Each structure stands twice: as structure tokens, then as C-alpha cells.
Amino acid sequence: MRRCSLVLLCVVFTTAACSSSSSSTKSGGGDPAVTTITVFAASSLTGGFTRIGKDFEAAHPGTTVSLNLGPSDGLAGQIESEGTADVFASASATWMDDVREKVGVSEETQFATNQLVIITPPDNPSNIGSIDDLAGDGVQLVLAAPGVPVGDYAREALKSAGIASAAEANVVSNEQDDAALVAKIAGDEADAAIVYLSDVTSTVAPTVKSIPIPKADNVIAVYPIAVVQGGDASGGARFIDYVAGPEGQATLKTFGFLPPPATP
């Protein structure tokens, strides 16, 4: 009788151990259908990707989208040093190229474009009316730091307008991303900044004044997205398909982004 009890105990223990082993997931436990897709995305995508992430989760029960938002150069550095991303969405091809070279990517596609705009405090203390005015005496200009895509694009626009040297002499602060630029202007801490058109959301618009940059001087920012080598290839590909598909594109449009470049 004792022998039968021992055999039964062993069977119960073995069954429990197998059950525990089969429930492991990417995140370390729970429903085997549950997975987390870690998306590193440029800070200018904060609003759009937050909405897209929630919609994607609703369309794929059991999937969680974990967003890591920041300047594209900083995100590329994290990917290269930590290797924790499944998907990288960059505001610049430069940093996607860097990750491709140093880590490797797949399923790469361009999913959106953006343009630049000048913003000032609502009362526009320096009477900025055009990009040329950013070179005026005493103008306090803030830009994103060199290497940050919106900062590099802004400097391209200033160069195109022929005022790069004079305007950069007016720079009083180099910020880490576009959100910091908006905060500086909304807080009346500088006279002007150059940000993305998508940064002037319905919430931001009442706190700043927008001044367009002529097409001849403006810069079209192209956003690439890709699965990072070593990440969740299938989950990452599904997320990219959603971003590039009709639902994702409609959401990005509501957040001020323009369509991706036309395919030749």
C-alpha cells in the first residue's frame, strides 16, 4: 500500500512539474499565448505609437506592446549595447543604418514622413515671421542637439535658407528631443524653436504660435521601421504590418504625420 502511495505521489509531482514548464513564456510565466513586443520608437512618435500600441493589443489578444520612447540616436545606442528591442522605429535613416550595420535588421520599411515648422510663444516676443528671422539680432533660438534627427533636420533647413551661421549663433540651448523643444517654447523660455509639424498637436497648438517653413527650405523626414536581429521576429513583423497597414496609417495621420514616400 505504501508503494502505491509513493508511485501516486511521483505521478502528481511529475504532472505538476510538466505543467509549470509548459506555462513559461517570453516574459517568464503565465498564459503561453501571452507575449510582449518591445518597440523602441522615436520620441516624435509618442502619441501615435501609444495609440497604435493599444489598438494592436486589442486586435491581438494576449499581446502586450512595450514602448521605449526617446531620441533616435539614443535608442540606437541602447539597441547596440543592450539588445533588448524587437522593433526599432527611427525618425532618421541615419540611425536605422547604424543599427543595421552593428546589430542587423529585417522587415525594414518606410512608414511615415514629417516636416518642420517654427514655433514661438503665443505672443511671439521677437516678431518671428519667417525662417530668415531666426538669424536676427538677439533672437533666442533652441534646437535639438546635433545627432538628434529633428536637430539635424533643422540645421539642414537653416543651411538651405542661407542663414546657418547667424542662426546657430543665436542658439541658447541644445535639447535632447522635440518634446523638450516644445516645453521650452510653451514655457516661454526662448523665442523660437524648429520642431516637427506633428509636434504641434491639438493640445500643444494653444500654447505656441506656428510659423511655416517654405517648401524650398523645409526638410522631409522619412521614418523607417524594422525588426531588430535577435528580437521577436514574428511578433515584430506583425507589429510592422499593422503600422504600415490602413489602421496604423489612419492613426498616424490623426497625429499629424504624412504618408511614407511613394514606392517607385
Side-chain angles (χ1 to χ4, degrees):
M1 186 69 178
R2 183 180 179 188
R3 177 181 176 82
C4 292
S5 297
L6 288 174
V7 170
L8 179 60
L9 182 61
C10 288
V11 170
V12 171
F13 179 81
T14 302
T15 302
C18 291
S19 175
S20 174
S21 175
S22 66
S23 67
S24 64
T25 68
K26 182 180 176 182
S27 58
D31 188 327
V34 173
T35 188
T36 297
I37 301 173
T38 302
V39 178
F40 280 39
S43 58
S44 55
L45 293 164
T46 298
F49 266 37
T50 298
R51 175 79 58 79
I52 285 173
K54 292 177 180 177
D55 292 344
F56 183 84
E57 290 172 350
H60 298 80
T63 298
T64 297
V65 176
S66 176
L67 291 176
N68 180 18
L69 299 155
S72 297
D73 57 328
L75 295 175
Q78 288 183 51
I79 291 170
E80 292 157 11
S81 63
E82 301 170 8
T84 55
D86 297 314
V87 173
F88 180 37
S90 176
S92 167
T94 297
W95 295 108
M96 182 62 75
D97 292 344
D98 198 65
V99 171
R100 185 192 308 108
E101 178 182 343
K102 296 178 181 177
V103 179
V105 301
S106 61
E107 306 294 333
E108 183 178 347
T109 189
Q110 297 171 339
F111 67 95
T113 56
N114 216 336
Q115 293 183 0
L116 302 175
V117 65
I118 299 165
I119 57 171
T120 74
D123 60 349
N124 194 3
S126 289
N127 295 314
I128 305 297
S130 71
I131 191 170
D132 292 337
D133 293 334
L134 299 180
D137 292 341
V139 172
Q140 294 185 331
L141 177 64
V142 289
L143 299 177
V148 178
V150 69
D152 291 343
Y153 293 139
R155 288 172 176 83
E156 285 183 43
L158 294 172
K159 182 178 180 181
S160 180
I163 59 167
S165 296
E168 288 212 55
N170 286 337
V171 174
V172 295
S173 178
N174 287 287
E175 300 297 322
Q176 65 176 355
D177 59 22
D178 44 316
L181 295 173
V182 171
K184 283 278 188 182
I185 298 304
D188 204 15
E189 297 180 47
D191 296 326
I194 298 178
V195 298
Y196 293 120
L197 183 63
S198 64
D199 289 322
V200 188
T201 62
S202 58
T203 301
V204 170
T207 69
V208 301
K209 178 178 181 179
S210 297
I211 298 161
I213 297 175
K215 185 176 181 180
D217 300 324
N218 213 320
V219 176
I220 300 298
V222 178
Y223 286 63
I225 188 170
V227 174
V228 179
Q229 185 170 315
D232 181 350
S234 60
R238 287 196 302 273
F239 182 80
I240 290 172
D241 286 345
Y242 190 90
V243 170
E247 297 93 343
Q249 290 296 296
T251 297
L252 289 169
K253 183 178 180 180
T254 67
F255 281 87
F257 288 91
L258 302 171
T263 303

